Amino acid sequence: MTDIHGNLLAIKTEIAAAAAECRRKPEEIKLVAVSKTFPPESIAAAIAAGQLDFGENRVQEAESKIPTVRSTAGLTWHMIGHLQANKAHRAAELFDVIHSVDSIKLARRLSESAAGLGKTLSVLVQVDLGDEPTKFGAEPGRIEDLITGIRDLPGLKLDGLMTIPPFFEDPELAGPYFVSLRDLGTCMDEKLPGCLGNRELSMGMSHDFAVAIRAGATIVRIGTAIFGSRTY
Ligand SMILES: *Cc1c(COP(=O)(O)O)cnc(C)c1O
């Protein structure tokens, strides 16, 4: 059996070490435990170990899992996967933070739903920094318009940026992508002061989170290193 408690402790130690290397405080870095594909029992084990932030990447899967652990007070649910506009309403109901906003259409849908539910959704803009454009994430050149549009939406609070770099065997090679996201955030904050709310940088996964922290990550999204490898 996977030692979820032990894995969480080990990750927290590594987060603290990476933070210390660049003279950052470990409390500046939020650990989101990515529970996708794992059953509610795994989530319960992480909660028992003190973990309160969880990430899921599919609305349908989250729908069947979140209600079963909802009674636990103080949990924060993060939607980290690609979100289709037609699933926005359900996502607005289930989640507290959406990391994957990449179009104004999606942002509008989320805002309408959140406003209707009487809640304010925290959102991050997902940026596609790869050399070949992928299906997900907005290109850097579109970020300013997107931010400007989101600022006017009543149901959303824009809190920062998120990226998923291309996969590299050597995690150090992801470093430049993380630095680019940070620089983009700084640039946007200079142009539109305060536009990025809490100024979160959601970047870094199991194999490269230390590199991301050294580049300024404030949220790391970690699955495998906590829950074990996924079988689909
Ligand atoms: C699955 C996933 C993660 C976690 O990946 P691990 O390598 O298991 O840590 C992080 N971010 C996103 C967007 C994911 O889909």
Side-chain angles (χ1 to χ4, degrees), residues 85-219:
N86 63 6
K87 300 247 173 76
H89 185 71
R90 197 66 185 113
E93 286 177 324
L94 288 164
F95 291 95
D96 306 292
V97 187
I98 310 284
H99 290 229
S100 47
V101 174
D102 60 1
S103 74
I104 193 66
K105 180 180 168 199
L106 174 60
R108 285 201 188 103
R109 291 273 185 100
L110 286 168
S111 173
E112 273 166 31
S113 297
L117 294 161
K119 76 194 245 188
T120 305
L121 259 185
S122 174
V123 300
L124 310 179
V125 166
Q126 181 175 354
V127 187
D128 178 12
L129 294 167
D131 301 324
E132 296 146 38
T134 57
K135 270 183 283 177
F136 310 134
E139 286 158 41
R142 290 177 41 217
I143 299 302
E144 189 176 345
D145 279 351
L146 195 46
I147 288 176
T148 312
I150 292 173
R151 280 210 297 188
D152 297 331
L153 297 174
L156 305 186
K157 177 176 182 284
L158 180 57
D159 270 327
L161 304 174
M162 178 271 219
T163 200
I164 308 170
F167 179 83
F168 298 101
E169 210 60 58
D170 174 4
E172 294 297 336
L173 297 178
Y177 294 88
F178 297 140
V179 170
S180 289
L181 192 73
R182 181 189 68 202
D183 290 348
L184 183 62
T186 305
C187 170
M188 289 303 136
D189 200 56
E190 276 165 13
K191 279 193 180 171
L192 309 162
C195 70
L196 293 175
N198 295 346
R199 297 194 60 175
E200 305 288 1
L201 293 172
S202 168
M203 54 191 198
M205 321 203 314
S206 289
H207 78 294
D208 59 10
F209 69 87
V211 180
I213 288 170
R214 279 187 259 121
T218 66
I219 302 177

Side-chain angles (χ1 to χ4, degrees), residues 34 36 57 80 162 164 205-206 221-224 230:
V34 177
K36 66 187 185 198
N57 72 333
I80 60 171
M162 178 271 219
I164 308 170
M205 321 203 314
S206 289
R221 311 175 307 264
I222 299 182
T224 314
R230 289 179 289 271

